[in-house]
């Protein structure tokens, strides 16, 4: 059954996928180190080109500085003190330049280009057209967007929402860029409207991490602070590419190495940022070879992490059996945990052969890595989407918890769990209540503070929301930021779902493909970017974000807005709430957004840990939210951390099939494409490539540079992505890698992680054919 998703386009022949056009691949040897002077030159060149020198310098000098602009790229933590003058990375600079673009999109642009014509261009081209400057509407049956006033835009949304048979027929999506203040108002509006349908980008990334950590340690976040990296003896990095996705993490790894820390890197691809770091703010990083990072590199097969982790733990148990007291922290296990005996019995019963076969790592290599863990107790484990987007992702992450609990490496300095978030405030949005499964205590607090009874039923997550639109159960889709179509799986299915809506609304700064795949009617609401000055009631406002280590800090833009017609995200939410709810809400929406301190006063009344919010957020470095496991306190039902037992994932491939994982290039952030270069991997001027093992290329009678089609297989269905170029690469046998979002079309909507329901974008079974 091929691509079981019929088109249903209310606005003509509009492409859901980027055009299948090859742009002219050239290759070079892959880099052996991340960053360096070339990174600085490329970042500055991009900033000057997009923003101009004066404007660019003005923004960059405030980026990640106290009282300045919190980077809208990754969520890596800032130093508590002693920040560099240039406290940003190459991709952070690109994110600022992309938002600070001096080109503009106004009504004339949309008069020139129909929606169908725009869809024939690449995502890279769409993003380079400039900043959106005024509200636009795509009316029913129209081929072009046209201008609309803000009042009419909000009235249109109110008309659609209030005409629904049930509030649960509406969906309210959130991107990780959204500030705490906007997110809190948004969830408050949505729940006063009457639904918990608050899918967000976390559903597609670290939902598996939260689902794994909450029942085992009592909190759905990591347990380390940035300073712990300075004290760590071993850092284990799994399924993560810090050189591209979290480059400022390299500074923490460099400091750790200089303090004597050992680094174990576990990944299918030997990424430059795992191997060596050239710090561009040091002479050695500019003129020398930089700092070696990974002491041990374990090139695990795709989806082989669980087998490898089980192998490491089995070695620890066997060592403990031979020499009691030598490999496990027995006092910690006895006093702070439950369930170890069941885990130990499972490990003893597990045979070595399947662990070696599934992981692709020799038993001797597993033993060497395990020895580092046995001889050190301050261990940090970091991971990202390479682990979270698999069917057994939750169980794999709980194996990490098991491993650290065996060594007593949670709740002490220099040790703990570190899920590295990929978007600047995705963690903060969840803290603010952006969740389809809100805790009862949170809803009760909303009821106490605001005097209404919030809905208690579970809402739709991202995958469920797509199904609901496709089945006609959801009819209005509102997105507070993001590029929903390009971020989600099964592109054609998702496109058909969006086209089935009566209205789709996108709050955005720049043009993307989600503006082109719409419901019967569509609105684009342009908002201020984080770099821009936000004046409300004549006063400059600040917003706040939470980073990956639970630190809340302020962000205040200093650039002139791209247009006088732009509204801030909090202002958009407030005006939307007023238009939709009217007298049904007692909240003084317009009064709240005259001064964001008023919003923060409400947040501190609802959410624990935000006492004296307005005072503390203005302090240099912000403030830490409560994190009991960081102190060795586990707020589980038993007040102890929980060991868990999991079977090995199954990897069943037919002859000729490969497992494909999706990855980012070095020239992109999430769905935002900054350029066509992936210089760390030696790829230039092309995105439609497939990285394959050279032996697999020969076995399948293919050749380097050959143009191929990719077909995915799931539950009797096939999906096809055409015109990709074969690139030989250092990747395990029967594994392959491609860039997303180009291959999201291959990710089945129903292939999801157990428990978390996260799409399995890191495990897609494919065939490669000429």
């Amino acid at each position: 059954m091929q691509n079981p998703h019929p088109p249903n386009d209310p606005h003509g022949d509009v492409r859901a996928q980027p055009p299948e056009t090859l742009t002219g691949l050239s290759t070079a040897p892959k880099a052996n180190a991340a960053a360096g002077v070339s990174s600085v030159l490329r970042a500055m060149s991009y900033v000057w080109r997009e923003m101009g020198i004066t404007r660019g310098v003005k923004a960059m000098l405030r980026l990640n500085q106290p009282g300045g602009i919190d980077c809208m790229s990754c969520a890596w933590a800032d130093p508590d003190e002693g920040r560099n003058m240039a406290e940003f990375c190459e991709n952070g600079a690109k994110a600022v330049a992309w938002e600070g673009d001096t080109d503009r999109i106004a009504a004339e642009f949309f008069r020139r280009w129909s929606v169908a014509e725009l869809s024939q261009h690449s995502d890279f081209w769409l993003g380079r057209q400039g900043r959106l400057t005024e509200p636009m509407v795509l009316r029913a049956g129209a081929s072009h967007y046209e201008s609309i006033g803000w009042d009419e835009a909000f009235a249109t949304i109110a008309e659609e929402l209030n005409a629904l048979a049930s509030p649960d027929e509406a969906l309210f999506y959130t991107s990780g860029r959204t500030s705490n203040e906007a997110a809190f108002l948004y969830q408050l509006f949505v729940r006063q409207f009457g639904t918990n349908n608050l899918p967000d980008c976390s559903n597609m990334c670290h939902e598996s991490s939260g689902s794994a950590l909450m029942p085992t340690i009592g909190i759905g976040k990591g347990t380390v602070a940035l300073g712990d990296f300075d004290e760590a003896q071993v850092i284990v990095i799994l399924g993560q590419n810090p050189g591209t996705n979290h480059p400022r993490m390299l500074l923490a790894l460099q400091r750790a190495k200089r303090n004597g820390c050992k680094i174990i890197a576990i990944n299918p691809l030997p990424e430059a940022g795992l191997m060596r770091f050239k710090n561009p703010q040091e002479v050695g990083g500019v003129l020398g070879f930089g700092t070696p990072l990974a002491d041990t590199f374990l090139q695990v097969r795709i989806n082989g992490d669980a087998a490898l982790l089980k192998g490491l733990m089995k070695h620890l148990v066997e060592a403990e059996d031979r020499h009691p007291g030598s490999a496990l922290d027995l006092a910690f296990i006895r006093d702070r945990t439950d369930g170890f005996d069941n885990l130990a019995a499972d490990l003893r019963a597990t045979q070595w052969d399947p662990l070696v076969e599934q992981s692709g790592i020799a038993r001797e290599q597993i033993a060497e890595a395990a020895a580092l863990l046995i001889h050190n107790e301050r261990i940090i484990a970091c991971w990202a989407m390479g682990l979270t987007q698999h069917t057994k992702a939750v169980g794999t992450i709980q194996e990490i918890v098991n491993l650290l609990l065996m060594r007593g490496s949670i709740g002490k300095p220099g040790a703990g769990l570190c899920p590295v978030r990929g978007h600047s405030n995705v963690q903060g949005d969840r803290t603010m209540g952006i969740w389809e499964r809100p805790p009862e205590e949170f809803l009760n607090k909303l009821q106490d503070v605001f005097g209404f009874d919030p809905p208690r039923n579970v809402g739709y997550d991202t995958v469920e929301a797509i199904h609901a639109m496709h089945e006609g159960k959801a009819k209005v889709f509102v997105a507070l930021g993001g590029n929903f179509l390009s971020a989600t799986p099964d592109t054609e299915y998702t496109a058909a779902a969006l086209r089935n809506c009566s209205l789709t609304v996108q709050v955005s700064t720049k043009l993307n493909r989600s503006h082109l795949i719409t419901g019967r009617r569509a609105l684009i609401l342009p908002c201020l970017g984080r770099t821009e000055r936000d004046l409300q009631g004549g006063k400059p406002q600040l917003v706040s974000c939470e980073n990956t280590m639970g630190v809340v800090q302020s962000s205040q833009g200093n650039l002139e807005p791209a247009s006088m017609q732009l509204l801030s995200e909090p202002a958009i939410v407030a005006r939307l709430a007023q238009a939709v709810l009217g007298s049904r809400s007692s909240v003084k929406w317009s009064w709240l957004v005259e001064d964001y301190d008023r919003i923060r006063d409400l947040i501190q009344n609802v959410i624990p840990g935000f006492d004296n919010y307005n005072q503390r957020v203005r302090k240099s470095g912000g403030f830490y939210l409560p994190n009991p496991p960081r102190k060795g306190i586990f707020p589980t039902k038993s007040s102890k951390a929980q060991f868990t037992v999991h079977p090995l994932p199954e990897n069943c491939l037919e002859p000729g099939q490969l497992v494909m994982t999706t990855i980012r290039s070095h020239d992109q952030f999430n769905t935002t494409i900054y350029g066509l270069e992936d210089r760390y991997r030696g790829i230039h001027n092309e995105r439609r490539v497939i990285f394959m093992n050279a032996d697999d290329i020969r076995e399948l009678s293919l050749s380097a540079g050959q143009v191929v089609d990719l077909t995915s297989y799931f539950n009797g269905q096939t999906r096809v992505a055409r015109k990709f170029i074969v690139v030989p690469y250092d990747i395990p046998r029967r594994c392959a890698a491609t860039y997303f979002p180009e291959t999201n079309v291959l990710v089945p909507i129903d292939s999801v992680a157990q428990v978390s329901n996260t799409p399995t974008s890191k495990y897609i079974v494919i065939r490669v054919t000429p």
Side-chain angles (χ1 to χ4, degrees), residues 13-244:
D13 187 17
V14 182
R15 292 183 59 97
Q17 300 178 53
E20 297 155 352
T21 304
L22 302 178
T23 51
L25 170 68
S26 64
T27 60
K30 66 179 187 290
N32 59 11
V37 68
S38 63
S39 178
V40 176
L41 294 175
R42 287 175 185 270
M44 292 303 98
S45 173
Y46 191 88
V47 170
W48 305 157
R49 184 179 74 236
E50 300 297 317
M51 301 181 68
I53 294 178
T54 302
R55 199 161 179 266
V57 169
K58 186 177 182 180
M60 300 312 298
L61 289 179
R62 284 176 56 84
L63 188 60
N64 296 321
Q65 298 296 334
I69 303 164
D70 188 54
C71 182
M72 64 290 297
S73 189
C74 84
W76 189 251
D78 301 317
D80 291 336
E81 53 189 32
R83 300 187 190 185
N84 296 312
M85 183 178 72
E87 191 64 53
F88 56 85
C89 67
E90 177 184 352
N91 273 6
K94 288 177 179 176
V96 168
W98 188 83
E99 180 179 286
D101 191 346
T102 54
D103 289 332
R104 301 288 181 261
I105 293 179
E108 173 57 33
F109 175 89
F110 290 105
R111 284 194 290 269
R112 176 186 175 190
W113 296 97
S114 71
V115 173
E117 289 169 337
L118 288 170
S119 77
Q120 301 300 318
H121 289 283
S122 69
D123 293 356
F124 174 50
W125 185 92
L126 293 174
R128 292 208 62 185
Q129 298 314 297
R131 284 288 300 278
L132 297 160
T133 58
E134 57 183 304
M136 305 300 298
V137 61
L138 184 64
R139 302 190 188 277
S143 59
H144 291 68
Y145 274 97
E146 60 185 75
S147 295
I148 187 174
W150 280 106
D151 287 344
E152 184 183 352
F154 290 125
T156 299
I157 303 171
E159 174 194 355
E160 290 278 358
L161 289 175
N162 288 327
L164 295 174
S166 164
D168 289 330
E169 292 182 339
L171 303 167
F172 299 90
Y173 177 76
T174 313
S175 159
R177 183 200 68 199
T178 305
S179 68
N180 282 351
E181 292 73 14
F184 183 81
L185 287 186
Y186 193 51
Q187 65 81 28
L188 178 61
F189 154 60
V190 171
R191 293 192 166 103
Q192 287 205 341
F193 178 65
T195 184
N196 282 317
N197 288 344
L198 283 158
D200 74 320
C201 59
S202 182
N203 296 149
M204 294 178 285
C205 56
H206 273 288
E207 195 69 53
S208 295
S209 297
S211 298
L213 298 178
M214 185 64 77
T216 52
I217 64 169
I219 188 172
K221 304 178 182 182
T223 67
V224 300
L226 187 58
D228 287 317
F229 282 76
D230 294 337
E231 299 184 55
Q233 295 170 312
V234 177
I235 298 173
V236 185
I237 305 171
L238 307 97
Q240 186 196 357
N241 177 14
T244 289

Side-chain angles (χ1 to χ4, degrees), residues 384-400:
M385 264 63 79
L387 262 60
T388 66
Q389 295 176 332
H390 292 270
T391 303
K392 302 283 189 177
V394 172
T396 299
I397 295 164
Q398 288 181 340
E399 299 286 28
I400 298 175

Side-chain angles (χ1 to χ4, degrees), residues 634-698:
F634 300 105
T636 61
K637 290 180 180 179
S638 67
S639 298
K640 292 185 176 183
Q642 303 297 305
F643 283 101
T644 52
V645 179
H646 305 278
L648 287 175
E650 295 181 359
N651 297 301
C652 300
L653 296 178
E654 297 177 3
Q657 290 183 336
L658 307 176
V659 175
M660 185 192 82
T661 184
T662 61
I663 57 177
R664 294 185 199 169
S665 82
H666 192 64
D667 235 0
Q668 77 178 96
F669 174 71
N670 292 345
T671 60
T672 302
I673 312 299
Y674 300 130
L676 303 179
E677 304 294 304
D678 192 8
R679 70 179 189 278
Y680 288 173
R681 299 189 184 105
I683 301 297
H684 303 280
N685 199 43
E686 186 57 78
R687 289 186 54 82
R688 299 186 75 85
V689 301
I690 177 168
F691 298 101
M692 296 176 61
N693 183 286
D695 291 336
D696 288 329
I697 294 172
R698 284 190 292 270

